mmCIF file of all heavy atoms in Angstrom:
data_model
loop_
_atom_site.group_PDB
_atom_site.id
_atom_site.type_symbol
_atom_site.label_atom_id
_atom_site.label_comp_id
_atom_site.label_asym_id
_atom_site.label_seq_id
_atom_site.Cartn_x
_atom_site.Cartn_y
_atom_site.Cartn_z
ATOM 1 N N GLY T 1 109.787 110.072 210.710
ATOM 2 C CA GLY T 1 109.994 111.455 211.136
ATOM 3 C C GLY T 1 111.303 111.737 211.825
ATOM 4 O O GLY T 1 111.439 112.740 212.508
ATOM 5 N N ILE T 2 112.302 110.847 211.684
ATOM 6 C CA ILE T 2 113.606 111.068 212.315
ATOM 7 C C ILE T 2 114.690 111.068 211.240
ATOM 8 O O ILE T 2 114.470 110.662 210.106
ATOM 9 C CB ILE T 2 113.942 109.996 213.376
ATOM 10 C CG1 ILE T 2 114.181 108.628 212.728
ATOM 11 C CG2 ILE T 2 112.848 109.896 214.425
ATOM 12 C CD1 ILE T 2 114.852 107.623 213.646
ATOM 13 N N ILE T 3 115.869 111.509 211.652
ATOM 14 C CA ILE T 3 117.074 111.276 210.818
ATOM 15 C C ILE T 3 117.757 110.054 211.409
ATOM 16 O O ILE T 3 118.146 110.040 212.577
ATOM 17 C CB ILE T 3 118.014 112.507 210.849
ATOM 18 C CG1 ILE T 3 117.311 113.722 210.263
ATOM 19 C CG2 ILE T 3 119.280 112.198 210.020
ATOM 20 C CD1 ILE T 3 118.181 114.984 210.197
ATOM 21 N N PHE T 4 117.862 109.033 210.605
ATOM 22 C CA PHE T 4 118.430 107.751 211.015
ATOM 23 C C PHE T 4 119.835 107.641 210.419
ATOM 24 O O PHE T 4 120.019 107.732 209.215
ATOM 25 C CB PHE T 4 117.561 106.614 210.514
ATOM 26 C CG PHE T 4 118.129 105.242 210.766
ATOM 27 C CD1 PHE T 4 118.071 104.656 212.013
ATOM 28 C CD2 PHE T 4 118.725 104.534 209.724
ATOM 29 C CE1 PHE T 4 118.575 103.398 212.241
ATOM 30 C CE2 PHE T 4 119.243 103.259 209.936
ATOM 31 C CZ PHE T 4 119.172 102.689 211.204
ATOM 32 N N GLY T 5 120.830 107.475 211.289
ATOM 33 C CA GLY T 5 122.216 107.334 210.836
ATOM 34 C C GLY T 5 122.583 105.879 210.661
ATOM 35 O O GLY T 5 122.379 105.062 211.558
ATOM 36 N N PHE T 6 123.115 105.554 209.504
ATOM 37 C CA PHE T 6 123.518 104.182 209.166
ATOM 38 C C PHE T 6 125.026 104.219 208.962
ATOM 39 O O PHE T 6 125.511 104.686 207.941
ATOM 40 C CB PHE T 6 122.794 103.734 207.903
ATOM 41 C CG PHE T 6 122.788 102.248 207.677
ATOM 42 C CD1 PHE T 6 122.398 101.366 208.664
ATOM 43 C CD2 PHE T 6 123.147 101.730 206.438
ATOM 44 C CE1 PHE T 6 122.363 100.001 208.444
ATOM 45 C CE2 PHE T 6 123.119 100.375 206.204
ATOM 46 C CZ PHE T 6 122.736 99.512 207.209
ATOM 47 N N LEU T 7 125.779 103.778 209.977
ATOM 48 C CA LEU T 7 127.216 104.008 210.027
ATOM 49 C C LEU T 7 127.979 102.702 209.915
ATOM 50 O O LEU T 7 127.541 101.653 210.410
ATOM 51 C CB LEU T 7 127.583 104.671 211.364
ATOM 52 C CG LEU T 7 126.749 105.867 211.818
ATOM 53 C CD1 LEU T 7 127.265 106.409 213.143
ATOM 54 C CD2 LEU T 7 126.726 106.942 210.751
ATOM 55 N N GLY T 8 129.128 102.788 209.272
ATOM 56 C CA GLY T 8 130.009 101.628 209.147
ATOM 57 C C GLY T 8 131.196 101.998 208.275
ATOM 58 O O GLY T 8 131.156 102.971 207.511
ATOM 59 N N PRO T 9 132.281 101.208 208.378
ATOM 60 C CA PRO T 9 133.443 101.483 207.549
ATOM 61 C C PRO T 9 133.159 101.187 206.089
ATOM 62 O O PRO T 9 132.095 100.640 205.733
ATOM 63 C CB PRO T 9 134.501 100.519 208.126
ATOM 64 C CG PRO T 9 133.702 99.413 208.738
ATOM 65 C CD PRO T 9 132.458 100.037 209.240
ATOM 66 N N ASN T 10 134.089 101.555 205.204
ATOM 67 C CA ASN T 10 133.949 101.229 203.799
ATOM 68 C C ASN T 10 133.796 99.726 203.637
ATOM 69 O O ASN T 10 134.468 98.931 204.276
ATOM 70 C CB ASN T 10 135.193 101.685 203.005
ATOM 71 C CG ASN T 10 135.237 103.189 202.873
ATOM 72 O OD1 ASN T 10 134.227 103.854 202.893
ATOM 73 N ND2 ASN T 10 136.451 103.728 202.733
ATOM 74 N N GLY T 11 132.865 99.335 202.777
ATOM 75 C CA GLY T 11 132.641 97.913 202.524
ATOM 76 C C GLY T 11 131.781 97.232 203.567
ATOM 77 O O GLY T 11 131.653 95.990 203.556
ATOM 78 N N ALA T 12 131.145 98.020 204.451
ATOM 79 C CA ALA T 12 130.343 97.417 205.518
ATOM 80 C C ALA T 12 128.977 96.931 205.026
ATOM 81 O O ALA T 12 128.310 96.163 205.715
ATOM 82 C CB ALA T 12 130.153 98.394 206.659
ATOM 83 N N GLY T 13 128.551 97.397 203.849
ATOM 84 C CA GLY T 13 127.246 96.989 203.320
ATOM 85 C C GLY T 13 126.201 98.089 203.321
ATOM 86 O O GLY T 13 125.024 97.834 203.069
ATOM 87 N N LYS T 14 126.607 99.344 203.543
ATOM 88 C CA LYS T 14 125.648 100.444 203.629
ATOM 89 C C LYS T 14 124.954 100.707 202.295
ATOM 90 O O LYS T 14 123.720 100.771 202.238
ATOM 91 C CB LYS T 14 126.378 101.721 204.118
ATOM 92 C CG LYS T 14 127.065 101.563 205.464
ATOM 93 C CD LYS T 14 127.624 102.887 205.963
ATOM 94 C CE LYS T 14 128.667 103.505 205.049
ATOM 95 N NZ LYS T 14 129.888 102.662 204.972
ATOM 96 N N THR T 15 125.731 100.827 201.228
ATOM 97 C CA THR T 15 125.138 101.130 199.934
ATOM 98 C C THR T 15 124.321 99.943 199.420
ATOM 99 O O THR T 15 123.246 100.132 198.825
ATOM 100 C CB THR T 15 126.241 101.490 198.911
ATOM 101 O OG1 THR T 15 126.953 102.652 199.393
ATOM 102 C CG2 THR T 15 125.637 101.793 197.548
ATOM 103 N N THR T 16 124.785 98.716 199.678
ATOM 104 C CA THR T 16 123.998 97.545 199.282
ATOM 105 C C THR T 16 122.644 97.549 199.988
ATOM 106 O O THR T 16 121.612 97.228 199.396
ATOM 107 C CB THR T 16 124.766 96.256 199.637
ATOM 108 O OG1 THR T 16 126.005 96.244 198.944
ATOM 109 C CG2 THR T 16 123.958 95.014 199.257
ATOM 110 N N THR T 17 122.630 97.936 201.280
ATOM 111 C CA THR T 17 121.375 97.999 202.012
ATOM 112 C C THR T 17 120.426 99.019 201.377
ATOM 113 O O THR T 17 119.225 98.751 201.219
ATOM 114 C CB THR T 17 121.627 98.353 203.478
ATOM 115 O OG1 THR T 17 122.495 97.391 204.071
ATOM 116 C CG2 THR T 17 120.329 98.420 204.269
ATOM 117 N N ILE T 18 120.932 100.195 201.004
ATOM 118 C CA ILE T 18 120.095 101.192 200.355
ATOM 119 C C ILE T 18 119.515 100.637 199.044
ATOM 120 O O ILE T 18 118.328 100.817 198.745
ATOM 121 C CB ILE T 18 120.870 102.491 200.122
ATOM 122 C CG1 ILE T 18 121.124 103.207 201.436
ATOM 123 C CG2 ILE T 18 120.104 103.421 199.173
ATOM 124 C CD1 ILE T 18 121.932 104.483 201.303
ATOM 125 N N ASN T 19 120.347 99.947 198.266
ATOM 126 C CA ASN T 19 119.872 99.375 197.014
ATOM 127 C C ASN T 19 118.798 98.323 197.242
ATOM 128 O O ASN T 19 117.850 98.208 196.443
ATOM 129 C CB ASN T 19 121.043 98.785 196.219
ATOM 130 C CG ASN T 19 121.933 99.846 195.619
ATOM 131 O OD1 ASN T 19 121.500 100.962 195.345
ATOM 132 N ND2 ASN T 19 123.197 99.526 195.413
ATOM 133 N N LEU T 20 118.907 97.577 198.314
ATOM 134 C CA LEU T 20 117.848 96.614 198.678
ATOM 135 C C LEU T 20 116.569 97.348 199.044
ATOM 136 O O LEU T 20 115.468 96.941 198.678
ATOM 137 C CB LEU T 20 118.322 95.752 199.834
ATOM 138 C CG LEU T 20 119.391 94.696 199.509
ATOM 139 C CD1 LEU T 20 120.057 94.186 200.802
ATOM 140 C CD2 LEU T 20 118.776 93.519 198.743
ATOM 141 N N LEU T 21 116.697 98.444 199.808
ATOM 142 C CA LEU T 21 115.529 99.173 200.279
ATOM 143 C C LEU T 21 114.816 99.910 199.124
ATOM 144 O O LEU T 21 113.621 100.172 199.201
ATOM 145 C CB LEU T 21 115.930 100.164 201.361
ATOM 146 C CG LEU T 21 116.418 99.516 202.665
ATOM 147 C CD1 LEU T 21 116.890 100.583 203.646
ATOM 148 C CD2 LEU T 21 115.329 98.667 203.306
ATOM 149 N N LEU T 22 115.544 100.244 198.076
ATOM 150 C CA LEU T 22 114.962 100.901 196.917
ATOM 151 C C LEU T 22 114.453 99.888 195.891
ATOM 152 O O LEU T 22 113.920 100.286 194.853
ATOM 153 C CB LEU T 22 115.984 101.845 196.276
ATOM 154 C CG LEU T 22 116.268 103.128 197.047
ATOM 155 C CD1 LEU T 22 117.429 103.883 196.413
ATOM 156 C CD2 LEU T 22 115.032 104.020 197.110
ATOM 157 N N GLY T 23 114.628 98.613 196.162
ATOM 158 C CA GLY T 23 114.152 97.594 195.229
ATOM 159 C C GLY T 23 115.060 97.409 194.043
ATOM 160 O O GLY T 23 114.644 96.844 193.017
ATOM 161 N N LEU T 24 116.290 97.871 194.124
ATOM 162 C CA LEU T 24 117.247 97.727 193.002
ATOM 163 C C LEU T 24 117.993 96.394 193.093
ATOM 164 O O LEU T 24 118.626 95.973 192.113
ATOM 165 C CB LEU T 24 118.240 98.885 193.016
ATOM 166 C CG LEU T 24 117.606 100.278 192.983
ATOM 167 C CD1 LEU T 24 118.670 101.353 193.074
ATOM 168 C CD2 LEU T 24 116.749 100.455 191.712
ATOM 169 N N LEU T 25 117.951 95.757 194.263
ATOM 170 C CA LEU T 25 118.541 94.431 194.462
ATOM 171 C C LEU T 25 117.504 93.557 195.162
ATOM 172 O O LEU T 25 116.696 94.041 195.950
ATOM 173 C CB LEU T 25 119.788 94.500 195.330
ATOM 174 C CG LEU T 25 121.072 95.055 194.718
ATOM 175 C CD1 LEU T 25 122.152 95.165 195.802
ATOM 176 C CD2 LEU T 25 121.564 94.179 193.583
ATOM 177 N N GLU T 26 117.542 92.271 194.864
ATOM 178 C CA GLU T 26 116.656 91.312 195.532
ATOM 179 C C GLU T 26 117.362 90.694 196.720
ATOM 180 O O GLU T 26 118.531 90.299 196.608
ATOM 181 C CB GLU T 26 116.239 90.209 194.570
ATOM 182 C CG GLU T 26 115.277 89.202 195.163
ATOM 183 C CD GLU T 26 114.849 88.142 194.167
ATOM 184 O OE1 GLU T 26 115.470 88.056 193.075
ATOM 185 O OE2 GLU T 26 113.909 87.375 194.480
ATOM 186 N N PRO T 27 116.704 90.596 197.874
ATOM 187 C CA PRO T 27 117.341 89.940 199.021
ATOM 188 C C PRO T 27 117.619 88.474 198.730
ATOM 189 O O PRO T 27 116.841 87.814 198.036
ATOM 190 C CB PRO T 27 116.310 90.090 200.140
ATOM 191 C CG PRO T 27 115.324 91.083 199.683
ATOM 192 C CD PRO T 27 115.342 91.080 198.200
ATOM 193 N N THR T 28 118.688 87.978 199.302
ATOM 194 C CA THR T 28 118.954 86.541 199.240
ATOM 195 C C THR T 28 118.108 85.808 200.269
ATOM 196 O O THR T 28 117.523 84.760 200.006
ATOM 197 C CB THR T 28 120.450 86.268 199.503
ATOM 198 O OG1 THR T 28 121.229 87.028 198.581
ATOM 199 C CG2 THR T 28 120.781 84.782 199.347
ATOM 200 N N VAL T 29 118.041 86.388 201.471
ATOM 201 C CA VAL T 29 117.251 85.848 202.573
ATOM 202 C C VAL T 29 116.643 87.038 203.323
ATOM 203 O O VAL T 29 117.202 88.133 203.305
ATOM 204 C CB VAL T 29 118.128 85.000 203.532
ATOM 205 C CG1 VAL T 29 117.304 84.486 204.712
ATOM 206 C CG2 VAL T 29 118.789 83.840 202.792
ATOM 207 N N GLY T 30 115.538 86.803 204.021
ATOM 208 C CA GLY T 30 114.940 87.843 204.837
ATOM 209 C C GLY T 30 114.054 88.760 204.028
ATOM 210 O O GLY T 30 113.808 88.529 202.825
ATOM 211 N N ARG T 31 113.591 89.808 204.667
ATOM 212 C CA ARG T 31 112.660 90.716 203.987
ATOM 213 C C ARG T 31 112.817 92.127 204.509
ATOM 214 O O ARG T 31 113.409 92.367 205.572
ATOM 215 C CB ARG T 31 111.205 90.255 204.164
ATOM 216 C CG ARG T 31 110.723 90.242 205.596
ATOM 217 C CD ARG T 31 109.338 89.564 205.698
ATOM 218 N NE ARG T 31 108.350 90.205 204.861
ATOM 219 C CZ ARG T 31 107.591 91.227 205.260
ATOM 220 N NH1 ARG T 31 107.735 91.721 206.486
ATOM 221 N NH2 ARG T 31 106.701 91.769 204.459
ATOM 222 N N ALA T 32 112.262 93.047 203.744
ATOM 223 C CA ALA T 32 112.275 94.466 204.127
ATOM 224 C C ALA T 32 110.909 95.060 203.808
ATOM 225 O O ALA T 32 110.197 94.597 202.901
ATOM 226 C CB ALA T 32 113.372 95.212 203.382
ATOM 227 N N GLU T 33 110.566 96.086 204.564
ATOM 228 C CA GLU T 33 109.399 96.910 204.267
ATOM 229 C C GLU T 33 109.846 98.357 204.251
ATOM 230 O O GLU T 33 110.568 98.802 205.154
ATOM 231 C CB GLU T 33 108.281 96.748 205.321
ATOM 232 C CG GLU T 33 107.526 95.450 205.200
ATOM 233 C CD GLU T 33 106.390 95.402 206.222
ATOM 234 O OE1 GLU T 33 106.116 96.440 206.870
ATOM 235 O OE2 GLU T 33 105.787 94.325 206.371
ATOM 236 N N VAL T 34 109.414 99.099 203.246
ATOM 237 C CA VAL T 34 109.689 100.521 203.149
ATOM 238 C C VAL T 34 108.357 101.234 202.997
ATOM 239 O O VAL T 34 107.636 100.998 202.015
ATOM 240 C CB VAL T 34 110.634 100.838 201.956
ATOM 241 C CG1 VAL T 34 110.829 102.341 201.830
ATOM 242 C CG2 VAL T 34 111.962 100.121 202.132
ATOM 243 N N LEU T 35 107.984 102.032 203.977
ATOM 244 C CA LEU T 35 106.694 102.700 204.001
ATOM 245 C C LEU T 35 105.547 101.694 203.853
ATOM 246 O O LEU T 35 104.528 101.983 203.230
ATOM 247 C CB LEU T 35 106.621 103.789 202.926
ATOM 248 C CG LEU T 35 107.708 104.858 203.016
ATOM 249 C CD1 LEU T 35 107.652 105.789 201.817
ATOM 250 C CD2 LEU T 35 107.573 105.681 204.309
ATOM 251 N N GLY T 36 105.770 100.487 204.375
ATOM 252 C CA GLY T 36 104.758 99.454 204.330
ATOM 253 C C GLY T 36 104.769 98.591 203.091
ATOM 254 O O GLY T 36 103.989 97.634 202.997
ATOM 255 N N PHE T 37 105.667 98.859 202.148
ATOM 256 C CA PHE T 37 105.738 98.097 200.901
ATOM 257 C C PHE T 37 106.963 97.197 200.879
ATOM 258 O O PHE T 37 107.990 97.520 201.457
ATOM 259 C CB PHE T 37 105.811 99.038 199.695
ATOM 260 C CG PHE T 37 104.565 99.869 199.492
ATOM 261 C CD1 PHE T 37 104.514 101.178 199.962
ATOM 262 C CD2 PHE T 37 103.482 99.372 198.816
ATOM 263 C CE1 PHE T 37 103.387 101.951 199.775
ATOM 264 C CE2 PHE T 37 102.332 100.132 198.617
ATOM 265 C CZ PHE T 37 102.294 101.441 199.102
ATOM 266 N N ASP T 38 106.849 96.080 200.199
ATOM 267 C CA ASP T 38 107.990 95.209 199.921
ATOM 268 C C ASP T 38 108.754 95.843 198.755
ATOM 269 O O ASP T 38 108.219 95.933 197.654
ATOM 270 C CB ASP T 38 107.502 93.828 199.534
ATOM 271 C CG ASP T 38 108.643 92.851 199.241
ATOM 272 O OD1 ASP T 38 109.566 93.232 198.463
ATOM 273 O OD2 ASP T 38 108.599 91.723 199.731
ATOM 274 N N PRO T 39 109.994 96.285 198.969
ATOM 275 C CA PRO T 39 110.688 97.027 197.913
ATOM 276 C C PRO T 39 110.996 96.201 196.674
ATOM 277 O O PRO T 39 111.142 96.779 195.585
ATOM 278 C CB PRO T 39 111.966 97.531 198.592
ATOM 279 C CG PRO T 39 112.148 96.692 199.794
ATOM 280 C CD PRO T 39 110.778 96.260 200.217
ATOM 281 N N TRP T 40 111.125 94.891 196.805
ATOM 282 C CA TRP T 40 111.413 94.083 195.610
ATOM 283 C C TRP T 40 110.144 93.841 194.810
ATOM 284 O O TRP T 40 110.100 93.985 193.601
ATOM 285 C CB TRP T 40 112.104 92.767 195.979
ATOM 286 C CG TRP T 40 112.439 91.951 194.784
ATOM 287 C CD1 TRP T 40 111.883 90.771 194.388
ATOM 288 C CD2 TRP T 40 113.413 92.266 193.772
ATOM 289 N NE1 TRP T 40 112.440 90.330 193.206
ATOM 290 C CE2 TRP T 40 113.379 91.241 192.811
ATOM 291 C CE3 TRP T 40 114.297 93.338 193.608
ATOM 292 C CZ2 TRP T 40 114.222 91.224 191.684
ATOM 293 C CZ3 TRP T 40 115.140 93.340 192.481
ATOM 294 C CH2 TRP T 40 115.086 92.295 191.555
ATOM 295 N N ARG T 41 109.066 93.494 195.527
ATOM 296 C CA ARG T 41 107.794 93.205 194.842
ATOM 297 C C ARG T 41 107.103 94.489 194.390
ATOM 298 O O ARG T 41 106.442 94.531 193.348
ATOM 299 C CB ARG T 41 106.875 92.410 195.780
ATOM 300 C CG ARG T 41 105.627 91.860 195.107
ATOM 301 C CD ARG T 41 104.728 91.141 196.095
ATOM 302 N NE ARG T 41 104.232 92.048 197.131
ATOM 303 C CZ ARG T 41 104.341 91.840 198.423
ATOM 304 N NH1 ARG T 41 104.940 90.763 198.895
ATOM 305 N NH2 ARG T 41 103.847 92.723 199.290
ATOM 306 N N ASP T 42 107.226 95.564 195.217
ATOM 307 C CA ASP T 42 106.522 96.821 194.936
ATOM 308 C C ASP T 42 107.529 97.956 194.762
ATOM 309 O O ASP T 42 107.357 99.052 195.317
ATOM 310 C CB ASP T 42 105.577 97.153 196.112
ATOM 311 C CG ASP T 42 104.613 96.029 196.426
ATOM 312 O OD1 ASP T 42 104.013 95.485 195.474
ATOM 313 O OD2 ASP T 42 104.470 95.657 197.607
ATOM 314 N N GLY T 43 108.548 97.693 193.986
ATOM 315 C CA GLY T 43 109.618 98.669 193.814
ATOM 316 C C GLY T 43 109.128 100.010 193.282
ATOM 317 O O GLY T 43 109.600 101.075 193.706
#
């Protein structure tokens, strides 16, 4: 329920993070949950 700002210079990894959260890329290490789902397994 908030607006979350994800800030950084060009090449900081912002777009890559979004692609990970949408399940378009697989993490190398670590994990993510989006609305309670694993974005890679439950893309």
Side-chain angles (χ1 to χ4, degrees):
I2 69 165
I3 299 182
F4 174 77
F6 198 51
L7 313 181
N10 288 334
K14 302 187 299 295
T15 300
T16 300
T17 301
I18 289 178
N19 287 334
L20 288 164
L21 294 175
L22 287 172
L24 304 177
L25 286 174
E26 182 178 11
T28 305
V29 178
R31 64 189 301 273
E33 285 184 8
V34 177
L35 302 174
F37 295 97
D38 181 312
W40 182 249
R41 189 182 64 232
D42 306 313

